[in-house]
Amino acid sequence: IVLQKMMYFEKRGERGEPLFQSYLGLIYAIYTEPTLRRSDLTTRLEQQFLLGCRAADVATREKFMDLLDASVPRSLFSRLSYILGVQNWDALSDHNWIYLALHLLLGSVDGDILLVPDRKVSLDTSPVNVPFTLGRCANLVRPTQRMLFLDAQAAHDAWVSIFPTVWAHLSRREQVDITLHMITLLGKDYHINQAELRPNVVQTLLAGVYACNPPMTLPPHLVKYLAKNYGAWHVAMQILEDSVDYVREDELIVRDTVYDALAETYAELAEDDLFYGLWRRRSHYSETNLAIAFEQCGMWELAANMYETAQGRARTGVIPFSEPEYCLWEDHWVLASEKLQQWDTLYELGRS
C-alpha cells in the first residue's frame, strides 16, 4: 500500500522529482528481481510501473519501456491484444499513451532484417539520398520508438499509418477479437481525463479505425458518444457515413441505429443540409419529405402544418410510423413553432 501511495510524488513537480526518481528505481528493482517475477507484488504495482514509461528522465523511461517490451510476446496479434485488451491504461489516463502502444507494436519487428532501399524511381523523381546507412532494421526502428514520446502529433500520424497495416495482416478471426478489444477499450471511463488533449488517444484510435480495410465495425452510438466527448467529430462522422454503406439491406435495426447516430452527429455539428439530406434519404413517408423540404427552404408555417398533419395521421392509425420518424415530427414541429413565435401554443404544450 505504501508503494502504491508513493506514486503521488510525481504530482509534486520539481520538489518531488528526486523522491519520484528514487521511487521509480525501487519499482524497477522489484520488477527485475527474479524471485519476484509474476508475484502478487508485481501484479499490484502494475499501474505504478507504467508511470516509469512516461518518466521525464530519458534513461529511466527507456529502461522501463524496454522491460515492458521484453515481457510481451513478439507476434503482432499478441501485442495488439495486449495493447487493446489486456493492459489497463488508467495510470496514464491523463497522458497520451499512444507512443507506448507504438513502441510495443514496433517491437514486434525482427531487428536483424536488412533494410533494402526502394530502387523503383519514376521519371519525374530522383532517388532519395538516405542521410544514414540503412543496415539492420533495428537501426531505424529503435530510434523511432524513442522519438515518438517527444511529439504526440507524430505519434498520432504514425499510429494512423501503422495500425491499418497491422490490421490487414490479421486473420478474420483475429480481426473479430481485436474489434471486441477495441470496443471495450474505447468505452473505458478513464479516457475522459485527457478529453481536452489534442490529439487525445480516442481521436487517434478512431482515426486508425477509419483507415482500416476491411473496415472495423464499431457500435454507432459509441462512435457518436466519443465524437461528442472527445472532440472526434469529423472522423466519427466519416466512420458513420461509411457504416451506412456496409450494412446489409436485411439488417434494418442496425441501419436505423446508424442513421440515428449519424443524424444526431450532423445536428450537433449544425450540418443542416447533410441532416436534411439524410432524413430525405431514410424517411418512409411523403409527409416527412415534404416537411423537410419546406423547412430547408425556410417555409416554417408550411413545415409546421405538414409535421402536425403527419402526427395526426399517425395517432389515428392512418399511417404506420417508426419511433425515430415520429420523434423527428415532434421535435421539428416544436422548432417550427419557435421560428414562428407561437409561444402560447408551446406554453400549452409544456403545461400538458
Side-chain angles (χ1 to χ4, degrees):
I1 294 176
V2 173
L3 286 173
Q4 290 174 332
K5 296 298 184 183
M6 289 171 67
M7 65 185 291
Y8 294 103
F9 286 143
E10 183 190 32
K11 301 184 183 298
R12 297 182 62 182
E14 293 184 1
R15 291 176 55 196
E17 186 63 24
L19 286 173
F20 186 61
Q21 287 299 323
S22 299
Y23 170 64
L24 290 180
L26 176 59
I27 296 294
Y28 185 80
I30 290 172
Y31 272 84
T32 52
E33 173 57 47
T35 59
L36 295 176
R37 185 171 299 172
R38 302 188 184 281
S39 65
D40 181 61
L41 179 60
T42 55
T43 302
R44 293 170 64 183
L45 291 176
E46 186 174 347
Q47 294 297 297
Q48 288 70 30
F49 176 88
L50 287 177
L51 295 180
C53 296
R54 73 169 185 191
D57 180 69
V58 176
T60 301
R61 183 174 68 247
E62 292 188 356
K63 283 195 310 181
F64 276 87
M65 292 172 73
D66 287 341
L67 188 58
L68 178 63
D69 183 78
S71 68
V72 183
R74 291 284 169 187
S75 72
L76 278 176
F77 177 67
S78 297
R79 297 221 155 195
L80 208 52
S81 296
Y82 179 84
I83 293 166
L84 302 178
V86 176
Q87 182 57 60
N88 179 5
W89 300 103
D90 194 5
L92 303 181
S93 61
D94 59 345
H95 191 82
N96 192 326
W97 46 262
I98 209 68
Y99 72 92
L100 188 53
L102 281 167
H103 185 99
L104 294 174
L105 267 189
L106 292 173
S108 65
V109 176
D110 185 353
D112 293 328
I113 295 177
L114 294 178
L115 291 174
V116 179
D118 188 359
R119 298 296 184 183
K120 297 178 182 178
V121 180
S122 68
L123 296 176
D124 299 328
T125 60
S126 58
V128 177
N129 294 321
V130 181
F132 55 86
T133 303
L134 290 174
R136 297 166 57 246
C137 190
N139 295 341
L140 178 62
V141 172
R142 293 283 290 177
T144 303
Q145 288 175 302
R146 268 51 182 167
M147 290 189 295
L148 289 171
F149 173 82
L150 304 175
D151 190 336
Q153 185 61 50
H156 169 89
D157 295 338
W159 178 269
V160 174
S161 176
I162 293 172
F163 178 72
T165 304
V166 174
W167 170 263
H169 284 81
L170 299 176
S171 68
R172 183 56 190 158
R173 179 60 199 167
E174 289 173 339
Q175 288 179 348
V176 171
D177 291 341
I178 292 301
T179 299
L180 295 177
H181 291 324
M182 180 68 80
I183 293 171
T184 302
L185 177 62
L186 288 172
K188 296 292 186 182
D189 292 337
Y190 55 71
H191 294 310
I192 203 68
N193 293 331
Q194 57 174 282
E196 301 301 321
L197 294 182
R198 295 293 181 272
N200 55 53
V201 164
V202 170
Q203 291 175 333
T204 302
L205 293 175
L206 286 179
V209 168
Y210 175 65
C212 287
N213 187 26
M216 179 187 290
T217 304
L218 300 180
H221 286 296
L222 173 63
V223 176
K224 182 197 69 176
Y225 164 80
L226 296 174
K228 187 172 184 178
N229 288 277
Y230 297 95
W233 290 106
H234 291 90
V235 67
M237 185 170 66
Q238 290 171 320
I239 290 173
L240 292 171
E241 287 173 344
D242 284 355
S243 297
V244 174
D245 298 327
Y246 299 136
V247 177
R248 298 198 307 267
E249 291 296 330
D250 58 337
E251 295 179 325
L252 298 179
I253 296 178
V254 176
R255 182 177 292 274
D256 281 343
T257 304
V258 176
Y259 275 139
D260 289 343
L262 186 55
E264 290 181 44
T265 304
Y266 285 154
E268 291 282 354
L269 288 173
E271 293 283 1
D272 293 337
D273 290 331
L274 291 173
F275 177 86
Y276 294 137
L278 177 65
W279 264 107
R280 295 188 71 172
R281 176 182 177 182
R282 71 174 295 197
S283 62
H284 297 294
Y285 308 109
S286 58
E287 289 84 356
T288 306
N289 215 331
L290 287 170
I292 287 175
F294 289 142
E295 181 178 330
Q296 193 170 9
C297 295
M299 303 167 70
W300 294 104
E301 186 172 358
L302 292 174
N305 292 337
M306 191 57 64
Y307 286 129
E308 191 168 359
T309 299
Q311 292 178 70
R313 295 184 66 190
R315 281 194 293 267
T316 57
V318 176
I319 56 173
F321 61 91
S322 63
E323 183 178 349
E325 199 155 353
Y326 194 88
C327 290
L328 175 79
W329 297 337
E330 287 185 328
D331 293 343
H332 283 251
W333 177 81
V334 171
L335 175 63
S337 299
E338 291 175 354
K339 294 291 185 179
L340 295 169
Q341 299 187 15
Q342 296 175 346
W343 307 117
D344 293 340
T345 303
L346 292 175
Y347 176 72
E348 292 299 326
L349 175 66
R351 288 188 62 187
S352 62

